[in-house]
């Protein structure tokens, strides 16, 4: 256990988050997504829903402030005009971190998931519950 680190973030996921650089993307996918087949790097978060994993990662990882949407998410039926209850909860989590989650069509989202630095496979049962986070930077501390 570590002070201030959500216990859900195990060694493999912490290593991945630390290894990522500015602009790298990490995809959190639902339990139906073919993560093993599509991942360059795969971290399993079995037994955890998407919201819990997303909240834990956002607790420690800075988001990219140089892009209009550092959080991208799937849409109900792959149509950005449609959303379900899981999307409302993702949007609320994003808003608590001062950003808007941008819904994407499947044709735009799925190639980015495949190209992500890492895919985190959750046990989320909601359909179209996939999110991409773009890593930002932590600025220099102020001079003393």
């Amino acid at each position: 256990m570590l002070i201030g680190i959500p216990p859900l973030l195990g060694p493999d996921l912490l290593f991945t988050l630390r290894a990522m650089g500015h602009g790298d993307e990490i995809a959190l996918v639902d339990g139906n997504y073919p993560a093993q087949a599509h991942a360059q790097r795969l971290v399993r978060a079995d037994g955890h829903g998407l919201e819990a994993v997303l909240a834990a990662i956002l607790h420690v990882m800075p988001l990219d402030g140089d892009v209009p949407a550092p959080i991208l998410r799937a849409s109900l039926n792959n149509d950005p005009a449609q959303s379900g209850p899981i999307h409302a909860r993702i949007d609320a989590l994003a808003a608590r971190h001062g950003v808007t989650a941008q819904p994407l069509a499947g044709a735009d989202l799925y190639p980015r998931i495949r190209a992500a630095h890492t895919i985190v496979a959750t046990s989320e049962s909601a359909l179209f519950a996939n999110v991409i986070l773009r890593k930002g930077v932590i600025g220099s501390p102020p001079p003393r």
Side-chain angles (χ1 to χ4, degrees):
M1 299 292 292
L2 297 171
I3 297 169
I5 304 293
L8 185 149
L9 300 176
D12 294 335
L13 189 47
L14 284 171
F15 173 83
T16 294
L17 294 172
R18 181 62 178 94
M20 290 172 61
H22 177 225
D24 280 342
E25 294 181 338
I26 187 167
L28 315 179
V29 298
D30 62 43
N32 290 298
Y33 189 88
Q36 182 73 44
H38 291 179
Q40 295 182 52
R41 293 171 198 82
L42 177 65
V43 173
R44 303 221 41 107
D46 296 310
H48 299 289
L50 182 104
E51 291 172 75
V53 176
L54 177 59
I57 290 173
L58 289 175
H59 182 77
V60 299
M61 188 183 89
L63 294 172
D64 193 342
D66 294 334
V67 296
I71 299 179
L72 308 169
R73 68 162 173 80
S75 305
L76 189 61
N77 301 316
N78 290 315
D79 178 355
Q82 297 183 35
S83 65
I86 187 70
H87 302 115
R89 294 191 300 272
I90 292 166
D91 293 349
L93 254 171
R96 284 197 291 277
H97 288 272
V99 297
T100 301
Q102 179 182 342
L104 293 179
D108 297 321
L109 183 77
Y110 296 121
R112 287 187 75 161
I113 291 174
R114 287 185 187 102
H117 179 280
T118 299
I119 292 178
V120 179
T122 73
S123 292
E124 180 59 55
S125 61
L127 299 177
F128 303 102
N130 305 307
V131 175
I132 297 172
L133 305 173
R134 186 175 169 100
K135 187 175 183 183
V137 298
I138 297 174
S140 300
R144 294 181 185 231

